[in-house]
Every structure is written in C-alpha cells, then in structure tokens.
Amino acid sequence: MGGNGPLNVTQQRLLLLGPPGAGKGTQSVRLAEEYDVEHVTTGDALRANKEMETDHGTPREYMDAGELVPDPVVNEIVVEALAEADGFVLDGYPRNLSQAEFLDDMVNLDLAAFLSVPEAELVRRLTGRRVCPDCGATYHVEFAPPEAAGVCDGCGGELTQRNDDTEETVRERLRVYEENTAPVVQYYREVGNLVEVDGTGSPDEVFAGLREMVESNDAV
Ligand code: ADP
Ligand code: ADP
Ligand code: ZN
C-alpha cells in the first residue's frame, strides 16, 4: 500500500498452524513482508536464548530432545513480542491447549490457517533443512537449495543443520505434535476462524493459497 493510500487501521493478526516442517517459517516470512507485520516465532526466540537459565532449566534441554519448552517460558516470550507488534504472523505458538487459552485471553486473531502436509513429506523436509545462522534464512538441500552449496544467498553465511533436524529427533517432534498440538488445531476448528491450506505445492503455490485466505477473510 502506498504512503498516500487509506490508513491501514487494523493490521492483520495471523496465526499459522501446522506440524514441524509444514512450511510455517517459510510462509510466515512472506506473509510478514506482504502485510507489513511482525513475524513472531517462538522457535527462533528460543534458539536465540537456548542457554538462558529459567526456573525450569535451559530451553536447550527441551529443544535438543524435541520436547516442548515449559509454558511459562514460552508465554513470556509471546507476551513481550505481541506487546510491541501492531499486526503479526504468529509461527510455532500455540503448541498445546494451555498456550491456546493463554493466547485467546491476550488477543483476537483475524485468521488461523492450518498448513496440511503428509508425514512422509514432513520427514523429508525436516531432515533436508539447512539454516543460515547469521540471518535466519531457511533452505532445503533438494527443494530449496541455495545458489552455491552450503552458502546463504542473502548474506553469504555458512549454512548449518539444526541439531533437532536429525531423523530420530524429528520422529519425536512429530509425536509431540500429535499429542499436544493436533488438539490445538481441533480447538481452532471448533471455536476459531480456522482455514485449511494445502501445504504440499511449491512455496509460491502455498503462499498464493494463504494470501487468498487472508484477502477473502477481509471481505467478510
Ligand atoms: P516449519 O517452520 O513449519 O518447521 P519450514 O518453513 O522451516 O517449516 O520448512 C521446512 C523445510 O521444508 C525447509 O527446509 C524448507 O526449505 C522446506 N520447505 C518449505 N516449504 C516447502 C514447500 N512448499 N515445498 C518443499 N519444501 C518446502
Ligand atoms: P519446527 O520447525 O518444528 O516448527 P520450531 O523452530 O518452531 O520448530 O521449534 C523448535 C523447538 O522449540 C521445539 O521443538 C520446542 O522444543 C521449542 N518450541 C518452539 N515453540 C514452542 C512453543 N510454543 N512451546 C513449547 N516449545 C516450543
Ligand atoms: Zn544468511
């Protein structure tokens, strides 16, 4: 929207739900740019504070095992991030019903979108994921390779593999997702504004699907 256009009175408040590897990070970055809102991601925030001492130990102890970091630690991150954001796309939170209730008490969402991708594809995506430790960009060795192998297109950083993206930890994360986060999707299906988007196409196709949902939601 140009500087002289109508004032964007209410910025979009979007939630992206989906299993690990569904493409939440990839699509959140695009949505944040398209709608000029904050990308709020608990995963990145926790990775930046992995060694932080809390009443519940450090985030690392949970993350490296593929388990959920305790709610008080994660909720506090979200409270702070949302307090500073006009509009946002929330990625990686809520991950259990208690977080969903906490979020409900804090904000009203414009849209909750669920990215659906079959499990075999999730494992391929996660085990082939590479990330740039310098700028946070995400790649895939096969599906979204950088121009030069192992080097970030954006900043030249040396790409690495997250240490929870090994096959064993991926299986545990998918189990934790089924147990804790699938009920959250069901919850939004029942009470919220949940739309389902096919997450199996190319990143461009998935983005087009999401944008369509945001825009048609606006018209209501
Ligand atoms: P999430 O944040 O949901 O865990 P990511 O956005 O990090 O997911 O994506 C997981 C992996 O799958 C990354 O390596 C990413 O490059 C790749 N990926 C994302 N979207 C697609 C897609 N539509 N098709 C193929 N690979 C994808
Ligand atoms: P994914 O690619 O699986 O979506 P994330 O980057 O969102 O991964 O999360 C990585 C890890 O950070 C999780 O396995 C979990 O340990 C922790 N984490 C992220 N978000 C949350 C949350 N909302 N509640 C609890 N733990 C979280
Ligand atoms: Zn980079």
Side-chain angles (χ1 to χ4, degrees), residues 21-211:
K24 300 181 299 297
T26 301
Q27 298 298 332
S28 293
V29 168
R30 292 172 176 229
L31 288 167
E33 186 165 326
E34 176 84 7
Y35 296 105
D36 193 22
V37 294
E38 294 289 322
H39 177 201
V40 176
T41 157
T42 47
D44 284 358
L46 289 166
R47 268 185 295 280
N49 293 286
K50 256 187 149 176
E51 310 303 342
M52 182 179 62
E53 289 293 344
T54 75
D55 293 346
H56 311 270
T58 63
R60 173 187 293 284
E61 293 160 35
Y62 301 91
M63 298 173 80
D64 286 356
E67 309 302 328
L68 296 184
V69 174
D71 293 341
V73 178
V74 183
N75 288 343
E76 190 181 324
I77 290 173
V78 174
V79 167
E80 283 183 21
L82 295 193
E84 290 165 10
D86 223 355
F88 56 81
V89 49
L90 194 47
D91 159 16
Y93 180 99
R95 257 177 154 95
N96 60 31
L97 284 174
S98 125
Q99 293 179 12
E101 283 159 17
F102 188 83
L103 179 67
D104 261 7
D105 289 339
M106 196 164 36
V107 287
N108 291 315
L109 299 168
D110 292 304
L111 185 73
F114 172 66
L115 287 178
S116 72
V117 175
E119 177 158 336
E121 177 68 12
L122 296 172
V123 175
R124 276 195 293 274
R125 286 188 184 184
L126 290 167
T127 53
R129 174 160 61 185
R130 296 294 182 272
V131 294
C132 175
D134 299 335
C135 75
T138 298
Y139 297 87
H140 189 281
V141 288
E142 206 181 321
F143 307 138
E147 277 168 30
V151 181
C152 178
D153 293 342
C155 78
E158 192 182 329
L159 302 184
T160 58
Q161 183 169 27
R162 274 171 47 174
N163 52 7
D164 60 348
D165 276 345
T166 58
E167 175 131 12
E168 190 193 355
T169 310
V170 161
R171 296 274 173 211
E172 176 60 9
R173 286 158 61 204
L174 291 171
R175 191 196 64 73
V176 167
Y177 170 83
E178 282 306 328
E179 185 177 313
N180 297 277
T181 316
V184 172
V185 176
Q186 190 55 29
Y187 168 81
Y188 281 103
R189 214 171 252 136
E190 282 160 18
V191 307
N193 210 356
L194 187 81
V195 297
E196 192 153 330
V197 172
D198 179 0
T200 58
S202 70
D204 283 350
E205 287 166 343
V206 176
F207 183 59
L210 284 167
R211 203 169 43 189

